[in-house]
Amino acid sequence: SVYRQYLERITITLHGTANLEGFQQLFIDNVLPGIAGVFQIVSVNEAVDASGYTTSIECRMQYRVPPKQVLDKNTQEFVAAEE
């Protein structure tokens, strides 16, 4: 579908530091319901100021994998994905 094409790149913002570097890979499940994959880190930016510290991680999808859970449209709860 169309929205899957927009998930080739994602940005994750974390509170704190993550000790991550460029080119490391992360498995991210359910970016959106039904979409999971292995993402390679493109850039990591850490910011520290008076209000706290955050880490912003930009990732590019390397390949998709079937998610372990999907969102049930009727109950709006996560259930095991069919294999």
Side-chain angles (χ1 to χ4, degrees):
S1 69
V2 174
Y3 73 92
R4 289 179 188 233
Q5 294 176 4
Y6 291 101
L7 293 176
E8 296 298 319
R9 285 175 109 60
I10 62 171
T11 301
I12 303 166
T13 302
L14 305 171
H15 172 71
T17 58
N19 197 26
L20 295 171
E21 298 176 357
F23 301 105
Q24 288 180 306
Q25 293 184 333
L26 305 171
F27 172 74
I28 302 175
D29 197 4
N30 283 306
V31 176
L32 286 178
I35 297 177
V38 174
F39 289 78
Q40 183 177 32
I41 296 174
V42 176
S43 68
V44 178
N45 296 306
E46 296 179 330
V48 179
D49 58 26
S51 64
Y53 46 93
T54 58
T55 301
S56 179
I57 305 162
E58 185 179 349
C59 302
R60 182 179 62 235
M61 183 178 278
Q62 296 298 298
Y63 55 91
R64 286 185 175 84
V65 296
K68 299 196 181 300
Q69 294 183 327
V70 295
L71 188 65
D72 184 295
K73 292 179 183 177
N74 298 322
T75 64
Q76 295 297 306
E77 294 182 6
F78 285 103
V79 296
E82 297 178 13
E83 294 187 29

